[in-house]
Every structure is written in structure tokens, then in C-alpha cells.
Amino acid sequence: MKFFVDTAEVAEIKDLAASGLLDGVTTNPSLILKSGRPMLEVIKEICAIVPGPVSAETVATNHAKMLEEGRKLAKLAKNIAVKVPLTPDGLKTCKVLSSEGTMVNVTLCFSAAQALLAAKAGATFISPFVGRLDDIGQDGMHLIDEIMAIYRQYPHFKTEVLVASVRHTQHVVQAAKMGAHVATVPPNVLRQCFKHVLTDNGLKAFLDDWAKTGQSIL
Ligand code: G3P
């Protein structure tokens, strides 16, 4: 499973990229707002740090304008994936951009029917939002299971399932068990994946004993 990080904070991205864990980055208008930086500038910077797909989201709601925005975003770097919403205009835009060779991430997916349409429109990625479904009392990961089952029936679908709105490490583990292609993970959740209290305790015990030997490796 590929790991994307869901942030527009360049310092975080640089740090996580150094660990070799990052396969890509996803952003959205809310994350751009949080970064406090001009979108086009920050996206270009991210594209230079991470070679994998970097999602940049369109904000127009009608097809013509969305396509214009998408084409502009696609020109920023070779590794841009243009994000469009799961609306009729969004899927129309997806179809055109995909046929032009641009990667497209169809976002705001909350149902299996929507995911089926996105695959038919030639999306590179479909982004079902699991955390936001959990928030309203539905089972976000069940949606991933459904989409994976549908896509498996049609091997000609090339769309990758990108698990989004990830809130905790169990979302990541379940996504991997279901064979999801990608999880986009907030930096804090990605860091949580490293953590286990027995790792910390075990390391401390080994280092304490090592100090008692009076030896050094170097
Ligand atoms: O970028 C899309 C998605 O990951 C947003 O997550 O936490 O705002 O529901 P969240």
C-alpha cells in the first residue's frame, strides 16, 4: 500500500519524505488555508520534494471553469494529480483531463455508486472519506470494502482506491488488510504508526544495559 500524506505543510512533508515513507501528497482548500500560503507556490514546492503524485484541488463548480483550473494546475509539475469533486461536472472534467494524460483524483466520495462512476470516468484515484462517514455514525471502512469488491470484478478499471479522511492507525491497518492501493494520512497519524510502548520500553532497557557494559561500537 502506498502512503500519501494529507497536508500542505512543507516542513512536515520534507521531514516525512526523508524517512523514505512518502509515495505522494494530497492537499485540499482547507489544508491550503491552514498552511497560510499561496496555493500555486506551495504546490510547486511540494512537487519538487516528493516525486510521487501531488493532489491539487480545483475549486470551480462548473465543467468549463474546472477544466481550465485543472489544466493550469497540471502545468505546475509533471507529478500533479488534479483533484475534482464527485459531481457530474467533476466527472466530466475527469474524463477530459484523463484523456489528456493528466492524473485525476476524484474527491468527496461517500458511496460505492459514486466510486463506480469515477472509475468509468477514468479517474486515476478515487478518494472515499472514511473518517467523515464514521463521524455521522456510518462505517467508513465498510465503504472501502465495497469499493474494492466492485473494482475487483472489473480488472480493466485502473482507478486506485485512495483511503482519505483517515483519523487513526486502525484506519491505516484496515485499509492495508482490504488491499486499498493508497492511504492518505495526516502527519500525526503517520507518526503514530511508528509508535508502540513496548518499542520505547525495550529500547530504553537495551540502552541502559549497553551503558553498563562500558563498551562502544565506534
Ligand atoms: O484531503 C481529503 C481528506 O483526507 C480530508 O480529511 O480529516 O478533513 O475529513 P478530513
Side-chain angles (χ1 to χ4, degrees):
M1 186 175 70
K2 286 176 269 194
F3 277 115
F4 289 1
V5 69
D6 200 23
T7 184
E9 302 293 337
V10 170
E12 290 272 28
I13 294 168
K14 273 191 186 151
D15 185 50
L16 289 164
S19 68
L21 279 175
L22 279 198
D23 300 298
V25 176
T26 50
T27 66
N28 62 39
S30 306
L31 293 171
I32 296 293
L33 174 70
K34 209 168 149 201
S35 78
R37 298 196 45 201
M39 177 188 180
L40 302 187
E41 183 186 297
V42 82
I43 293 288
K44 259 200 227 167
E45 224 171 294
I46 296 170
C47 286
I49 302 167
V50 181
V54 173
S55 290
E57 190 155 342
T58 54
V59 289
T61 52
N62 75 78
H63 168 62
K65 199 95 189 282
M66 203 187 293
L67 185 58
E68 206 182 326
E69 287 181 355
R71 284 177 174 152
K72 181 169 177 178
L73 292 172
K75 281 201 191 104
L76 292 178
K78 281 200 167 65
N79 52 336
I80 288 283
V82 173
K83 236 174 164 182
V84 299
L86 211 152
T87 60
D89 288 75
L91 292 191
K92 233 191 250 178
T93 308
C94 172
K95 184 104 202 132
V96 178
L97 289 173
S98 299
S99 72
E100 291 172 357
T102 296
M103 289 186 283
V104 182
N105 178 354
V106 177
T107 189
L108 290 164
C109 169
F110 293 95
S111 81
Q114 289 179 322
L116 183 55
L117 298 185
K120 288 185 71 72
T124 315
F125 303 105
I126 179 68
S127 289
F129 280 26
V130 296
R132 292 193 195 185
L133 281 170
D134 290 354
D135 289 346
I136 60 160
Q138 294 186 23
D139 183 354
M141 291 314 298
H142 175 67
L143 174 60
I144 303 301
D145 212 13
E146 272 192 298
I147 299 172
M148 291 303 298
I150 292 170
Y151 282 11
R152 265 195 298 273
Q153 300 298 320
Y154 302 97
H156 65 281
F157 284 167
K158 297 294 172 242
T159 305
E160 297 195 1
V161 177
L162 194 168
V163 180
S165 187
V166 163
R167 298 278 155 79
H168 46 71
T169 58
Q170 274 313 302
H171 276 152
V172 179
V173 171
Q174 285 176 274
K177 279 166 108 171
M178 290 172 185
H181 308 82
V182 192
T184 189
V185 187
N188 64 318
V189 178
L190 203 46
R191 291 210 173 82
Q192 276 298 319
C193 291
F194 283 97
K195 297 295 280 179
H196 198 287
V197 65
L198 293 181
T199 305
D200 296 341
N201 294 350
L203 182 60
K204 184 179 179 319
F206 285 152
L207 294 181
D208 288 349
D209 287 344
W210 179 248
K212 286 178 204 155
T213 69
Q215 299 178 43
S216 94
I217 293 175
L218 297 176

